[in-house]
């Protein structure tokens, strides 16, 4: 499929471990597990109390210096004023911190101000091209989480971001295996898709219903060189997890 999308610029796509909002002890164990798998990053959510930011600060001495933590508060902080103390603490940590969607999109000045807290990387999740263009116009972010409604939309928005010298990653909803592989092929074709993409379904789902399952080499997902997406539907797995069925005549 990647040949139909313009051809790949890489044979492996950077990815990272994933967790929701674990407490500090669980997060420490997950980061240890990620390192054992050869990964050098993890993505976590956060709520309006900055719960996972507090957990990261608490276990900071146990996190390798070359590790990367992406925190997504999902725009739960209404303003920079509400969260500035935690952002200041995150900016002093000795490993890489990426902060995605810290504030609502209308808080443009807060986004701009957050970018001054070096060396934090501020990322905007642009859910469509209009949101991307607004973020670029208003200089809201250092990089972008892009996905679009499919491979073509994703690649079109990566070209727009690249014209502003902005890097990105391929976002996802941690889908099953077919769509995860569509995203893998698309990410391989975008020159500026150099941040860790959301290709973690194999780690968070019991089965993704495809065979062979997504291959990882250290912290990278390997792009298949087999025909099509490089996978087939695992009919045995589909049968195992089937809950209902119907026939269209």
């Amino acid at each position: 499929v990647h040949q139909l999308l313009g051809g790949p610029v890489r044979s492996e796509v950077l990815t990272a471990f994933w967790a929701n909002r674990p407490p500090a002890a669980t997060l420490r164990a997950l980061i240890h597990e990620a390192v054992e798998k050869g990964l050098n990053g993890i993505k976590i959510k956060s709520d309006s109390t900055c719960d996972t930011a507090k957990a990261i600060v608490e276990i900071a001495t146990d996190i390798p210096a070359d590790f990367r933590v992406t925190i997504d508060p999902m725009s739960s902080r209404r303003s920079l004023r509400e969260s500035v103390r935690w952002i200041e603490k995150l900016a002093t940590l000795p490993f890489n911190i990426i902060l995605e969607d810290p504030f609502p999109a209308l808080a443009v000045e807060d986004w701009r101000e957050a970018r001054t807290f070096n060396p934090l990387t501020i990322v905007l999740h642009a859910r469509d091209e209009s949101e991307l263009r607004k973020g670029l116009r208003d200089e809201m972010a250092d990089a972008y989480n892009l996905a679009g409604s499919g491979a073509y939309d994703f690649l079109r928005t990566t070209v727009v971001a690249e014209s502003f010298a902005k890097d990105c990653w391929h976002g996802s909803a941690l889908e099953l295996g077919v769509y995860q592989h569509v995203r893998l092929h698309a990410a391989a074709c975008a020159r500026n898709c150099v941040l860790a993409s959301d290709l973690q379904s194999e780690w968070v789902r019991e089965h993704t219903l495809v065979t062979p399952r997504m291959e990882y080499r250290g912290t990278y997902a390997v792009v298949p060189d087999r025909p099509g997406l490089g996978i087939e539907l695992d009919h045995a797995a589909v049968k195992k997890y089937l809950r209902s069925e119907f026939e269209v005549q």
Side-chain angles (χ1 to χ4, degrees), residues 173-187:
L174 300 180
E175 306 88 356
L176 295 174
V178 172
Y179 205 8
Q180 280 275 286
H181 278 82
V182 171
R183 297 191 187 280
L184 172 60
H185 281 264

Side-chain angles (χ1 to χ4, degrees), residues 52-73:
T52 46
K54 296 173 184 177
I56 288 294
V57 171
E58 182 178 336
I59 66 171
T61 56
D62 299 318
I63 300 177
D66 61 348
F67 204 75
R68 181 185 61 256
V69 178
T70 301
I71 303 174
D72 179 8

Side-chain angles (χ1 to χ4, degrees), residues 17 26-38 62 64 67:
F17 215 39
T26 303
L27 183 55
R28 181 188 290 111
L30 288 171
I31 290 175
H32 178 72
E33 181 182 350
V35 172
E36 286 190 331
K37 289 179 179 290
D62 299 318
F67 204 75

Side-chain angles (χ1 to χ4, degrees), residues 31-49:
I31 290 175
H32 178 72
E33 181 182 350
V35 172
E36 286 190 331
K37 289 179 179 290
L39 300 167
N40 63 4
I42 190 170
K43 297 190 176 190
I44 53 178
K45 300 295 184 179
S46 181
D47 67 6
S48 60
T49 68

Side-chain angles (χ1 to χ4, degrees), residues 7 22 47 49 85 100 113 127 137 170 174 201 206 242:
D47 67 6
T49 68
R85 291 182 180 178
E100 179 187 3
E113 183 67 19
R127 291 163 177 80
R137 182 189 67 238
H170 200 325
L174 300 180
S201 290
E206 187 173 285
L242 185 66

Side-chain angles (χ1 to χ4, degrees), residues 1-107:
V1 167
H2 52 67
Q3 295 295 345
L4 299 175
L5 298 174
V9 297
R10 61 184 65 85
S11 59
E12 301 174 331
V13 175
L14 183 67
T15 188
F17 215 39
W18 188 91
N20 191 10
R21 289 169 38 220
T26 303
L27 183 55
R28 181 188 290 111
L30 288 171
I31 290 175
H32 178 72
E33 181 182 350
V35 172
E36 286 190 331
K37 289 179 179 290
L39 300 167
N40 63 4
I42 190 170
K43 297 190 176 190
I44 53 178
K45 300 295 184 179
S46 181
D47 67 6
S48 60
T49 68
C50 299
D51 54 349
T52 46
K54 296 173 184 177
I56 288 294
V57 171
E58 182 178 336
I59 66 171
T61 56
D62 299 318
I63 300 177
D66 61 348
F67 204 75
R68 181 185 61 256
V69 178
T70 301
I71 303 174
D72 179 8
M74 302 174 288
S75 304
S76 60
R77 305 299 290 175
R78 292 179 298 177
S79 67
L80 178 63
R81 181 177 181 180
E82 286 188 352
S83 51
V84 65
R85 291 182 180 178
W86 285 107
I87 290 178
E88 287 174 339
K89 290 180 180 179
L90 292 172
T92 66
L93 297 178
F95 43 85
N96 296 321
I97 295 286
I98 297 174
L99 196 57
E100 179 187 3
D101 282 358
F103 318 114
L106 293 178

Side-chain angles (χ1 to χ4, degrees), residues 9 29 32 48 67 84 95-96 104 115 119-120 153 164 169 171 177 183 197 200 206-207 220-221 226 244 249:
V9 297
H32 178 72
S48 60
F67 204 75
V84 65
F95 43 85
N96 296 321
R115 294 182 63 196
L120 296 183
D153 277 352
F164 284 79
W169 72 66
R183 297 191 187 280
S197 291
Q200 306 99 337
E206 187 173 285
H207 205 294
Y220 293 88
R226 297 175 294 277
S244 65
Q249 298 181 348

